Amino acid sequence: MNRQTQKRLLGIAALVVAAALWQIVAEYVVGRSFILPSVTDVAGAFVNLLESGTLVADIVVSLEHFGIGLLAALLLGVPIGILMGWFRVADFLLDPIIEILRPIPPLAWIPFAIIWFGLTTQAAGFVIFVGAFFPILTATYAAFRSVPKVFVEAGKVLGCDTSLELIRHVALPAAVPAIASGIRIAMGVGWMCLVAAEMFGVSRSGLGYQLWHNYYLHQMPNVVVYMLILGFAGLIIDRIFRNYVDQRLLRWHAGEVA
Amino acid sequence: MSGVTIRDLGKAFPKEDGTATQALEGVDLEIGDTEFICLVGPSGCGKTTLLRIIAGLETATTGAVTVDGRAVTGPDPKRGMVFQEYSLFPWRRVIDNVAFGLEMKGVGKEERRRTADRYIEMVGLSQFRDAYPYELSGGMRQRVAIARALANDPDVLLMDEPFGALDAQTRNRMQKELLSLWDQTKKTIVFVTHSVDEAVYLASRIVVLSPRPGSIREIIEIPWPHPRDRTSAEFAEVRRRVLRMIDETENAQ
């Protein structure tokens, strides 16, 4: 048996044991589904939610919220980060504003999200945007500040005459690995903001909303289903992104670092 | 004709306290077409600064540099540069690194790849054309950097201690290859080094700089043909002369 299969088997074995323990504790020690739903309760709830179609619909809604917020954060965060990282004047100009806005927790924007956008996907998207924007901005900024000088000078002597050419052909490609890690962090923050935003009533559907709604209904097995789905969805999004970045964009980078 | 003329060149770097460090002062130098010039001198004598001014990466405080009668005002692909540090773009394959300058010029993909291939072949790395820089050894990287500078067909090739980070054997091989490239391309080369041995081996003229402020102490002609024998008596004699000169300028401080 090689290392890889050994790792897999042990991982699966641990999961099975954990599930069995959970089942035993839930059924024989706690004994009340409201306090701790058992594995079978949760599995049953999952099947019900899946069959009724609400689960899939809520996943779609949440992904929509997430997509809007992340896209807006990318469209604004990367260019502003480039501007501040490359042009000193832009840095001096925008830095004070950024520094005042950045420490405000994204969830503190929920009242205005509702006032400005109502109970729309844009309102939830806005809260995610606030959460994802700053990690992307700061990562892009830092990446541009740390582009090796020799690359920029090589670009200049090889015929990059304008800042635009240097940014496009030298600084941006050099900054992509750091920007990609910034986006990964932003996606994690955005996902947390998504759940909170939906819970606090920016939306009337979505995984976070349903989680809170089912808590009010005391449907605790459903709550666990939504918790697990949120975890898995976050994991899958991260994996897809990482695989894409590692394989498509950054073959060169893997060889550069230890 | 691709001569470089340096007239009364001075460079002062401003310091924090408002005063300035005079890095270069009153440098006059005439570099002829297809000449191989080596700049040597103790560390801090401003040899790299002088090279960077010729490249257009620094601006002179006084005086001027002209190449082919045109004043140097900023970086230009007509003056190719090979840096001491590894300067290949790690996100580009060898072929696309070498083709970079042509891409900036707007040369079409087919043509620039053809040209790049020619220069990659010239530095003997055809089998690595699709490799990323991280897959290359230090010597190979510098060969690609030379090919990248040459692909722009520059008037002058400026080299800032390009073999400084290489081991002694690789370094000797690179020197031989550079001489053969020089022979094939007939470029004017200005080469900064702190290895006197390297300078005596390569240069048609060695320019010895004295430090603080950097200025030309002496110019030594080396008329011997290539390849040169490092172990010969005359080689040792010139090397001793240059080393003594550098020593004196350092102790004169």
Side-chain angles (χ1 to χ4, degrees):
Chain A
M1 194 180 351
N2 65 28
R3 262 285 146 92
Q4 201 58 36
T5 35
Q6 193 185 4
K7 188 181 158 195
R8 287 244 168 83
L9 284 178
L10 283 176
I12 291 168
L15 278 176
V16 170
V17 170
L21 274 176
W22 173 9
Q23 183 72 21
I24 290 163
V25 171
E27 210 157 323
Y28 301 105
V29 182
V30 179
R32 283 176 64 199
S33 183
F34 179 67
I35 305 283
L36 182 64
S38 70
V39 179
T40 45
D41 291 339
V42 173
F46 174 71
V47 172
N48 282 338
L49 288 171
L50 201 60
E51 277 174 349
S52 69
T54 55
L55 188 58
V56 176
D58 282 309
I59 291 175
V60 170
V61 167
S62 282
L63 286 180
E64 203 181 326
H65 292 161
F66 183 70
I68 290 173
L70 195 72
L71 193 70
L74 277 173
L75 290 179
L76 280 172
V78 172
I80 295 177
I82 290 175
L83 228 51
M84 290 176 66
W86 191 263
F87 301 103
R88 296 300 291 273
V89 177
D91 188 10
F92 296 157
L93 215 60
L94 295 175
D95 188 59
I97 304 171
I98 299 288
E99 284 310 305
I100 289 171
L101 293 180
R102 197 162 65 109
I104 300 173
L107 304 188
W109 287 91
I110 287 178
F112 277 107
I114 296 173
I115 288 170
W116 290 340
F117 298 102
L119 293 182
T120 60
T121 43
Q122 287 88 327
F126 177 75
V127 178
I128 293 146
F129 159 75
V130 176
F133 172 73
F134 292 104
I136 291 176
L137 174 78
T138 43
T140 309
Y141 172 80
F144 263 70
R145 302 294 316 199
S146 52
V147 172
K149 193 175 155 210
V150 70
F151 291 164
V152 176
E153 293 191 335
K156 282 183 184 168
V157 295
L158 289 167
C160 291
D161 299 324
T162 60
S163 281
L164 189 69
E165 279 184 315
L166 281 172
I167 289 170
R168 186 167 148 221
H169 298 290
V170 177
L172 190 58
V176 161
I179 295 176
S181 350
I183 294 172
R184 261 187 89 190
I185 293 168
M187 292 201 309
V189 176
W191 196 243
M192 283 187 247
C193 291
L194 167 92
V195 176
E198 288 176 355
M199 276 168 77
F200 288 118
V202 183
S203 165
R204 281 277 163 271
S205 54
L207 295 169
Y209 168 78
Q210 292 295 0
L211 187 140
W212 202 240
H213 184 64
N214 277 280
Y215 160 66
Y216 278 135
L217 299 178
H218 288 198
Q219 291 296 320
M220 297 320 280
N222 285 357
V223 171
V224 176
V225 170
Y226 285 111
M227 285 169 68
L228 290 174
I229 295 287
L230 280 163
F232 275 119
L235 180 76
I236 290 167
I237 291 171
D238 187 61
R239 278 295 161 84
I240 291 173
F241 179 77
R242 208 171 70 187
N243 282 344
Y244 174 77
V245 167
D246 285 354
Q247 283 172 14
R248 293 291 304 281
L249 292 173
L250 297 179
R251 229 202 87 187
W252 64 269
H253 191 243
E256 290 282 322
V257 291
Chain B
M1 261 305 284
S2 303
V4 179
T5 308
I6 299 163
R7 281 272 166 275
D8 190 31
L9 196 80
K11 173 73 183 174
F13 288 105
K15 281 194 295 196
E16 292 273 316
D17 60 8
T19 61
T21 311
Q22 195 71 29
L24 291 169
E25 200 169 62
V27 176
D28 281 297
L29 185 62
E30 193 81 41
I31 300 170
D33 192 24
T34 72
E35 240 194 314
F36 197 134
I37 293 281
C38 278
L39 301 176
V40 300
S43 24
C45 71
K47 49 192 191 290
T48 291
T49 306
L50 180 55
L51 194 78
R52 288 171 57 83
I53 292 173
I54 302 173
L57 291 169
E58 308 272 2
T59 30
T61 321
T62 58
V65 177
T66 52
V67 177
D68 276 345
R70 281 190 307 273
V72 169
T73 52
D76 190 299
K78 283 276 121 199
R79 292 182 306 277
M81 177 105 173
V82 178
F83 297 87
Q84 179 179 17
E85 310 101 299
Y86 297 137
S87 64
L88 296 183
F89 300 132
W91 57 90
R92 284 175 168 250
R93 294 168 194 273
V94 165
I95 175 88
D96 295 318
N97 259 290
V98 176
F100 186 86
L102 299 164
E103 195 179 327
M104 294 306 106
K105 249 188 234 171
V107 177
K109 190 166 184 165
E110 281 294 307
E111 196 192 329
R112 67 175 187 250
R113 292 214 152 194
R114 230 181 2 256
T115 310
D117 266 329
R118 208 171 67 237
Y119 284 100
I120 293 170
E121 203 190 323
M122 209 185 268
V123 296
L125 288 175
S126 289
Q127 63 191 111
F128 291 96
R129 73 190 285 280
D130 292 319
Y132 281 99
Y134 75 85
E135 298 170 279
L136 306 179
S137 69
M140 289 173 175
R141 290 184 200 201
Q142 290 307 65
R143 265 148 58 187
V144 176
I146 294 169
R148 184 173 70 173
L150 288 176
N152 275 329
D153 194 23
D155 297 327
V156 191
L157 188 58
L158 307 170
M159 309 185 81
D160 184 11
E161 298 188 37
F163 310 145
L166 305 179
D167 63 83
Q169 275 175 345
T170 312
R171 195 171 177 148
N172 286 353
R173 209 178 59 235
M174 294 291 291
Q175 290 165 2
K176 273 197 199 118
E177 285 180 19
L178 179 62
L179 286 173
S180 122
L181 283 174
W182 179 51
D183 193 46
Q184 287 173 65
T185 59
K186 306 275 184 258
K187 297 289 173 201
T188 309
I189 298 182
V190 184
F191 190 106
V192 168
T193 179
H194 56 235
S195 158
V196 172
D197 180 80
E198 186 166 67
V200 179
Y201 186 76
L202 294 171
S204 26
R205 279 196 296 162
I206 298 178
V207 176
V208 184
L209 297 177
S210 61
R212 275 171 288 263
S215 53
I216 294 178
R217 153 84 206 253
E218 181 98 53
I219 298 174
I220 298 158
E221 298 246 5
I222 305 182
W224 317 324
H226 295 284
R228 293 173 182 166
D229 180 8
R230 286 172 202 278
T231 54
S232 72
E234 56 203 327
F235 194 102
E237 173 52 34
V238 174
R239 189 168 53 196
R240 189 158 40 234
R241 246 178 75 203
V242 176
L243 279 170
R244 200 182 314 124
M245 232 176 266
I246 293 173
D247 253 8
E248 279 166 16
T249 61
E250 252 188 326
N251 295 335
Q253 291 295 297

